[in-house]
Amino acid sequence: MKHDVSKSLVVARTATFLSCLLLPALAWAQLPTAQLTSVFPPGGKVGTTVEVTVAGTDLDDADKLVFNHPGVTAQPKMSTATELEKTPRPMANLFTVNIAGDVPPGIYEARVVSRFGISNPRSFVVSNQEEVTDAAGNNSPEKAVALPAGTVVNGRIEAGQFDYFKVSLKKGERIILDCMAQRIDSKLDPTIAVLAANGRELSRVRDTVGEDCVLDFTAPADGDYTVRLFDAIYGGSNDHFYRLSAKSTAYIDFIFPPSAVPGTNGPFTIYGRNLPGGQNVDGLTMGASPLQKLQVNIAVPGDEAALSQLPLARAAKPRQAWQTGFEYSLDKSNPAIIYFAKAPVIAEVEPNNEPAKAQVVTIPCEYVGQFYPARDTDWLQFDAKKGQVLMIEAISHQLGLGSDPYFAIMKVTKNDKGEETMSDIAQVDDPQDRNNKIGTDYDTSTDDPSYRFTAPDDGTYRVMIRDQFGDGRKDPSYVYRLAIRPLAPDFQLLSVSSQPKAGNNDNNQGSPLTGITLRRGGSVLMSVTVNRVDDFKGDITITAEGLPDGISCRGATIGGEVNSASLIFVAKEDAAPWTGSVKIVGKAKIGDKDAARESRYASMVWGSANRQQALPEFRLSRSFQLSVGDKETEPAFVSIGEDKVYETALGGNVEIPLSVVRRGDFKEAIKLTAVGLPTELKPKEVNVAADAKDGKFELQVNQQNTKPGIYTFYMKGETKRKYIRNPEAETRAAEEKKQMEEMAKQLGEQVKTLTAARDAAVKAAAEAAKGTDDNAKKAAEEAKTKAEAELKAGQDKVKQADDLKKAIDKRLDDAKKANAPKDVTFALVSTPIKLKIDAAPYKLSGADPANVKQGEKAPISVKVERLYGFADAVDFSFEAPAGVSGLKVEKVTLKKEDGEAKLEVTADKNATPGEHTGTIRAKGKFNNMNVETSIPVVIKVEAVAK
């Protein structure tokens, strides 16, 4: 085959530059970062090698494609050496992916590393089926591509187009057509239809697995059937990719019960299609497809590693971040998730749709059921003791379903005749903050309700649960888990990339895809959200594990009711290039035990140019990958204070020195504002002049509604600089132009020589033709033909060199235009500030137990440690515990600067005898703010004989 030299060289050496260099990366008012939109094909078979093309923005000089599984590796595809270019070079955006034979089938993540760092992730599927890449052109029934059972076709949908496939089936043969699109980060909203030979539509599906679709088709007769695949709104682009599989093997729709206690081994029922040994279930369907069921025993993992895993059988929304479980599959089937329960699982037993038929359960338990059939309402009943505290929580929306659970709690009483009445205790719907969070970035809120229940009396209680949107739905896969359990304080973390934007801070400005990339001498931000379970208010220390030399992270501390923090990564100026996986871990005391929890991670799937028109999309990620580039150095770095927790109290003031490191010719002023604090805390804006290197962070804690706790936040620096995007590209292009001009000159000289040789051969052949020596004539003609061929080859090389020179000239011209210095407004991230805010500027101690007889008095002494310069008076009062009467402590005012309060407890003659724990409250003012703290005190009241 003839090799097109100029074409291959242009592909190999200019495509990245031409396709990426001029894209509007600076439209976000940010320095460029690698943004990956697609990897195509988006998957491959175990034990094979796949050639993939990556696409996106700011992928200049992309030389790595990394995966979150060590068995999936990639190398840049190299160009073929030619006479004009003897050294093979990486071909732009093309990689050869090797999938080892021991990689488990599943969804993994791919990220590109370019001169601008590591990109956001894109899903890459490893399968155990045959893989075919759709070459396009199958946009009519006549051009349908064969789709045998056991095959996956990787394709793309063009705008307004349909893709067609052909399946050959026998009468009664059942096949499952599964289109993965949004499960693998595609923009495609697929619809599948099956057509008969005459074009009549026999079946159609949409939105059966989230917004993806699975079509279950049984052939009514022998023959060929046409499958039509298209976008629901007829959109299309390279970002509308898909994986369409045809399977005659098992397909799992759901498993019941949906949860189990870790470490157990018990029976489950698998519901699906083509189940080996499965039994048909009368009347049970998914859409129009009848379901089968299969009883199996499943061993539920119980080891600590398994319990911390986030199950990701398909793309999961941030609202699913707090669930744990494991994936289960039959041979070659799709995986389904079984979740870990915190209490013994009890499955619903019908009929339970009326109060009188409420299913009696023993608590604690996790009651599991289905919002099925339509308008299903389930009742359960349990007994509780007075004062017993239980957490009641519904879990369904968090399982990735479109459900909206609601439950009501009622007390059951009977009169002397045994007649039953119910009284409402609570009706529980969405969490209070749900409406405010819908549409926000990385929204972890959910429609699942929860309620902290305290039994008012010994007795019987009922719970009614239903799906508020279940009236028109007939889907047995809509399961729920209703946990009724004691409080178990705990915490979980979710970490996301949250790079600040410069310039326009309007939320409608847009959101770009981004990875986590450090420039040398710079910093990047991760935002960490805490899910505090069951009133856990302990301090959490967050650290980053797996960082190489040259990269540091001060970590973060979160305390009290605070539920977010800023995690800052910093690279030294001489940090070596690096790409790798990093773990974010939170550590805390839960009771008297040390606990460590690795964070879950999330990323943006698709950005938005204008949030008013379209919201960005987000999903959970399988890992956190960080990179350090070696091409650019941050022009400035802002460092604030030391790596410690600064402390103050309500009413206090904080001052922390800061410094600015400037590099190169950067001389601009920097405006710094605090990010990551609640609205009640408003530090002063800091403006560092162009010729200044120092400044001061100042905060007055002067809002009464400020919540005490430990905050970790940062200062966002906004400034501008002259930015040159890719100076090496211009240098390379200029050098290549010089080399090509020299080569063109040499080829020109060669053509002159070859032309003279051809002319001489032509003349010699003409002279020989006049003679009578046939051998001489033949030799002269052969010499002439050879000379003409060599000249033609030389002229072709000249033309190829000329074509390549034109491409290089254009590349150089583009490089000069793209690299013209531009004024770019950009954001800096300071080192973090850890700030503890106490409720009061003093601490209480020394309230020893007081022994007092009825009708007498006893002293109580409380020591006061004054903090943060507090020297004012403190008022002390006493609060007896509920149900205790006859105890009194006169109010006492501690004078300014005194360190011990003397109180006296009086027990009247009818004071409740026994040991009681009361509360001593200390109130004061700190810089005109009300401050208060307390300390428990044990008072033993001794009864006196009357």
Side-chain angles (χ1 to χ4, degrees):
M1 182 179 72
K2 183 177 179 180
H3 184 68
D4 189 335
V5 177
S6 61
K7 180 178 180 181
S8 69
L9 289 174
V10 170
V11 169
R13 306 190 54 189
T14 69
T16 298
F17 195 85
L18 298 178
S19 63
C20 299
L21 185 61
L22 300 178
L23 288 173
L26 302 181
W28 304 105
Q30 292 281 89
L31 297 175
T33 58
Q35 301 175 37
L36 179 63
T37 55
S38 68
V39 176
F40 191 82
K45 185 180 179 181
V46 169
T48 65
T49 297
V50 185
E51 182 180 306
V52 304
T53 302
V54 300
T57 303
D58 297 332
L59 301 185
D60 306 36
D61 305 332
D63 60 354
K64 293 180 182 177
L65 182 63
V66 296
F67 297 83
N68 68 313
H69 191 288
V72 187
T73 57
Q75 296 294 329
K77 186 175 181 181
M78 307 301 288
S79 65
T80 303
T82 68
E83 188 173 350
L84 293 181
E85 187 176 57
K86 295 179 172 57
T87 303
R89 294 177 180 267
M91 300 181 72
N93 297 350
L94 292 175
F95 291 87
T96 301
V97 177
N98 182 66
I99 306 169
D102 59 352
V103 177
I107 302 177
Y108 299 94
E109 288 180 332
R111 293 171 172 85
V112 174
V113 181
S114 77
R115 71 171 283 116
F116 300 121
I118 194 167
S119 74
N120 56 290
R122 274 290 178 257
S123 294
F124 186 84
V125 185
V126 174
S127 81
N128 50 17
Q129 301 181 78
E130 295 302 318
E131 298 263 343
V132 176
T133 299
D134 175 15
N138 59 327
N139 53 7
S140 68
E142 298 77 20
K143 298 179 180 179
V145 174
L147 181 60
T151 301
V152 179
V153 174
N154 299 279
R156 292 185 176 111
I157 293 291
E158 298 176 13
Q161 297 292 316
F162 302 85
D163 277 5
Y164 289 91
F165 305 90
K166 180 175 66 175
V167 293
S168 299
L169 301 172
K170 298 291 185 182
K171 180 179 180 180
E173 187 176 354
R174 190 177 191 180
I175 194 165
I176 308 295
L177 299 170
D178 184 359
C179 183
M180 299 183 74
Q182 296 196 351
R183 281 173 285 175
I184 56 171
D185 303 332
S186 172
K187 285 186 175 181
L188 178 66
D189 184 358
T191 299
I192 297 177
V194 175
L195 314 177
N198 61 5
R200 181 171 64 91
E201 187 173 293
L202 301 176
S203 181
R204 174 192 290 231
V205 293
R206 179 191 174 194
D207 295 353
T208 53
V209 181
E211 295 184 22
D212 284 351
C213 51
V214 175
L215 190 149
D216 180 359
F217 180 72
T218 301
D222 292 359
D224 291 339
Y225 296 85
T226 301
V227 178
R228 180 168 59 199
L229 171 63
F230 57 99
D231 183 71
I233 58 173
Y234 303 105
S237 69
N238 282 345
D239 298 335
H240 288 66
F241 47 86
Y242 63 83
R243 286 173 57 84
L244 177 65
S245 65
K247 300 179 181 178
S248 56
T249 52
Y251 183 88
I252 300 176
D253 285 286
F254 66 99
I255 298 177
F256 195 86
S259 58
V261 175
T264 59
N265 191 328
F268 293 81
T269 302
I270 298 175
Y271 291 90
R273 277 71 73 83
N274 284 340
L275 303 181
Q279 298 175 339
N280 294 329
V281 185
D282 291 341
L284 191 65
T285 62
M286 289 287 289
S289 300
L291 291 183
Q292 297 174 320
K293 67 178 182 180
L294 177 67
Q295 298 286 337
V296 296
N297 262 47
I298 299 176
V300 181
D303 58 286
E304 186 174 344
L307 295 180
S308 65
Q309 292 299 309
L310 174 67
L312 290 174
R314 67 186 197 195
K317 301 296 184 183
R319 72 171 187 261
Q320 298 169 250
W322 313 132
Q323 296 305 306
T324 56
F326 67 102
E327 295 179 7
Y328 177 83
S329 60
L330 298 168
D331 182 39
K332 293 189 177 181
S333 79
N334 61 304
I337 297 174
I338 299 174
Y339 296 91
F340 293 132
K342 294 182 179 179
V345 174
I346 299 176
E348 69 164 319
V349 177
E350 297 282 1
N352 63 344
N353 56 350
E354 297 176 8
K357 297 179 180 179
Q359 184 174 343
V360 178
V361 300
T362 301
I363 58 172
C365 72
E366 184 165 294
Y367 186 77
V368 296
Q370 295 163 275
F371 292 126
Y372 180 83
R375 297 177 293 279
D376 182 42
T377 299
D378 292 341
W379 289 82
L380 65 148
Q381 177 177 305
F382 63 92
D383 291 335
K385 296 293 185 181
K386 181 179 179 178
Q388 188 173 4
V389 180
L390 298 167
M391 179 60 68
I392 303 178
E393 56 181 345
I395 304 169
S396 182
H397 191 229
Q398 294 174 74
L399 307 182
L401 301 171
S403 47
D404 186 2
Y406 161 91
F407 65 77
I409 307 169
M410 302 179 185
K411 181 182 178 182
V412 181
T413 57
K414 292 184 179 181
N415 60 20
D416 295 340
K417 297 179 181 180
E419 296 170 333
E420 184 179 276
T421 59
M422 295 192 305
S423 56
D424 279 353
I425 291 179
Q427 297 189 32
V428 191
D429 199 355
D430 299 346
Q432 293 182 353
D433 61 350
R434 175 64 172 143
N435 288 336
N436 293 332
K437 289 188 175 181
I438 294 175
T440 60
D441 290 359
Y442 302 101
D443 175 19
T444 58
S445 68
T446 172
D447 289 338
D448 288 339
S450 63
Y451 183 75
R452 178 174 173 163
F453 169 73
T454 302
D457 298 289
D458 291 358
T460 299
Y461 300 89
R462 285 186 184 141
V463 178
M464 179 275 293
I465 183 169
R466 64 182 175 87
D467 178 9
Q468 297 187 94
F469 292 125
D471 289 355
R473 184 191 301 124
K474 295 175 62 177
D475 189 334
S477 70
Y478 271 62
V479 297
Y480 66 83
R481 302 158 54 198
L482 184 69
I484 307 175
R485 55 173 179 77
L487 270 61
D490 206 335
F491 69 94
Q492 296 167 299
L493 307 177
L494 177 68
S495 302
V496 304
S497 170
S498 185
Q499 304 313 311
K501 290 175 281 193
N504 179 11
N505 289 311
D506 184 353
N507 212 28
N508 295 326
Q509 176 185 353
S511 301
L513 294 171
T514 182
I516 311 295
T517 296
L518 277 161
R519 289 175 168 84
R520 290 178 302 182
S523 56
V524 293
L525 165 71
M526 288 285 284
S527 293
V528 183
T529 297
V530 179
N531 178 37
R532 293 185 177 272
V533 179
D534 295 353
D535 298 335
F536 176 74
K537 292 183 173 63
D539 295 349
I540 304 169
T541 301
I542 303 172
T543 57
E545 298 180 358
L547 295 175
D549 291 340
I551 306 176
S552 61
C553 177
R554 287 186 179 180
T557 304
I558 307 176
E561 297 182 25
V562 180
N563 58 11
S564 64
S566 301
L567 204 62
I568 311 297
F569 295 86
V570 176
K572 292 182 178 179
E573 285 189 60
D574 59 353
W578 183 80
T579 298
S581 179
V582 177
K583 288 184 178 181
I584 295 175
V585 178
K587 296 181 180 180
K589 280 272 190 185
I590 301 178
D592 59 354
K593 295 182 178 180
D594 293 326
R597 305 284 184 263
E598 184 183 352
S599 176
R600 272 78 190 277
Y601 311 101
S603 62
M604 184 180 292
V605 180
W606 293 106
S608 171
N610 188 315
R611 297 170 67 98
Q612 289 283 62
Q613 299 174 2
L615 291 173
E617 298 178 23
F618 307 90
R619 69 162 172 83
L620 300 179
S621 299
R622 290 164 171 78
S623 65
F624 164 37
Q625 303 280 335
L626 176 71
S627 77
V628 180
D630 64 344
K631 301 298 183 184
E632 295 184 327
T633 299
E634 204 74 66
F637 177 69
V638 179
S639 179
I640 301 181
E642 303 174 45
D643 184 9
K644 69 176 187 178
V645 177
Y646 291 85
E647 298 187 23
T648 189
L650 296 180
N653 299 321
V654 178
E655 293 185 358
I656 306 174
L658 64 86
S659 62
V660 177
V661 175
R662 300 173 183 273
R663 302 186 180 99
D665 58 356
F666 179 73
K667 305 295 183 185
E668 297 291 337
I670 300 175
K671 179 179 71 175
L672 295 164
T673 55
V675 180
L677 286 172
T679 56
E680 299 84 20
L681 294 171
K682 300 178 180 178
K684 293 181 180 179
E685 184 178 276
V686 180
N687 289 286
V688 182
D691 58 349
K693 296 181 179 180
D694 303 296
K696 182 168 61 176
F697 168 86
E698 297 179 84
L699 170 65
Q700 295 180 335
V701 187
N702 56 11
Q703 297 296 313
Q704 195 67 58
N705 58 346
T706 299
K707 290 182 179 180
I710 303 177
Y711 299 85
T712 301
F713 58 101
Y714 69 99
M715 298 291 280
K716 170 190 169 184
E718 189 168 304
T719 185
K720 63 180 180 178
R721 65 177 289 195
K722 291 287 186 182
Y723 181 70
I724 300 175
R725 179 185 175 88
N726 190 344
E728 291 87 354
E730 185 174 345
T731 301
R732 282 198 307 267
E735 181 61 29
E736 289 170 359
K737 179 179 179 180
K738 180 179 178 182
Q739 293 175 358
M740 189 51 58
E741 287 175 341
E742 180 62 31
M743 183 174 291
K745 181 179 178 181
Q746 294 174 4
L747 290 173
E749 293 298 323
Q750 291 177 11
V751 167
K752 288 181 181 179
T753 301
L754 292 171
T755 300
R758 188 275 317 268
D759 292 344
V762 169
K763 183 177 180 182
E767 289 295 327
K770 298 176 182 178
T772 58
D773 188 340
D774 291 338
N775 290 331
K777 291 179 181 180
K778 182 179 179 182
E781 277 299 321
E782 290 175 349
K784 171 188 170 184
T785 301
K786 180 180 178 182
E788 289 175 339
E790 290 175 346
L791 176 59
K792 177 65 169 55
Q795 291 171 334
D796 288 344
K797 288 179 184 177
V798 169
K799 186 177 185 309
Q800 289 174 0
D802 186 59
D803 290 341
L804 186 55
K805 180 177 175 299
K806 290 177 181 178
I808 293 173
D809 286 343
K810 185 178 186 308
R811 182 163 71 249
L812 179 58
D813 186 57
D814 289 339
K816 290 178 178 179
K817 292 178 181 178
N819 285 318
K822 295 180 176 65
D823 286 323
V824 178
T825 302
F826 70 101
L828 293 169
V829 175
S830 78
T831 55
I833 306 168
K834 303 173 188 176
L835 176 64
K836 181 180 180 181
I837 300 177
D838 289 324
Y842 44 82
K843 292 182 180 179
L844 308 181
S845 63
D848 295 328
N851 298 311
V852 61
K853 292 182 179 181
Q854 289 176 328
E856 297 184 2
K857 300 179 179 180
I860 300 175
S861 177
V862 179
K863 294 181 179 179
V864 179
E865 181 186 0
R866 296 175 179 273
L867 305 169
Y868 318 127
F870 177 77
D872 290 344
V874 181
D875 295 328
F876 284 83
S877 62
F878 174 76
E879 183 179 301
V884 175
S885 61
L887 291 180
K888 181 180 179 182
V889 175
E890 293 293 338
K891 292 183 178 180
V892 170
T893 297
L894 184 69
K895 296 180 180 179
K896 294 181 178 181
E897 299 183 359
D898 284 354
E900 187 173 9
K902 303 288 188 179
L903 295 89
E904 190 173 61
V905 59
T906 300
D908 67 27
K909 62 182 180 180
N910 294 317
T912 305
E915 184 174 294
H916 313 296
T917 301
T919 302
I920 294 176
R921 299 195 180 280
K923 297 182 180 180
K925 281 187 177 291
F926 188 34
N927 295 330
N928 294 319
M929 276 191 67
N930 295 323
V931 291
E932 176 183 339
T933 189
S934 63
I935 189 173
V937 60
V938 176
I939 300 176
K940 298 178 181 179
V941 179
E942 181 181 342
V944 177
K946 299 178 182 178

